[in-house]
Amino acid sequence: MLLFSGNYKYSLDEKNRLIVPVRFREVLSAEGVDKLYIVKADSYLYVFPFPVFLELYENLKSWDFTKEGNQNYVRLFFSEAFDVVPDKQGRIGLRKELCEEVGINREVIIVGVLNRMEIWSPDNWKEFKEKSTLRGFSANLDTHSRQ
């Protein structure tokens, strides 16, 4: 089962590579997953294991594409996506322009979120945590997506 949790502080190297945390690499290895997909969110980067990305693809391709909002979301989501395979040291390369767009410089926070990882700048992660509480989120949960 692909299950990621916790958060880790790392640094990008001079080639804009990031080491995937050992615990996360162990989860990927146990499931036989070697390819990851990086996708830009508004203030961080998603890191989807390939099987999770395929599930997402299957769900998104069933959307009603006569609706412009659906078209635009999928267009933007997939146009920013790229695949990576960790090297023998567990490093993945990140595109510099995507990092710049979400405020990532040298230091990053890697967060495990269920079946995916997220890469945040320390400033954006701190801001998110300062304004967020589980109680506050629970009041706004989309009950339709919890089925």
Side-chain angles (χ1 to χ4, degrees), residues 115-126:
N115 61 357
R116 70 176 187 271
M117 297 166 257
E118 297 174 350
I119 304 171
W120 292 72
S121 74
D123 290 342
N124 287 351
W125 179 245
K126 181 180 177 187

Side-chain angles (χ1 to χ4, degrees), residues 37-59:
Y37 272 83
I38 312 293
V39 181
K40 186 178 88 62
D42 292 335
S43 58
Y44 56 92
L45 300 175
Y46 288 113
V47 182
F48 294 104
F50 183 60
V52 175
F53 191 77
L54 284 179
E55 287 177 30
L56 186 58
Y57 160 78
E58 289 297 331
N59 288 333

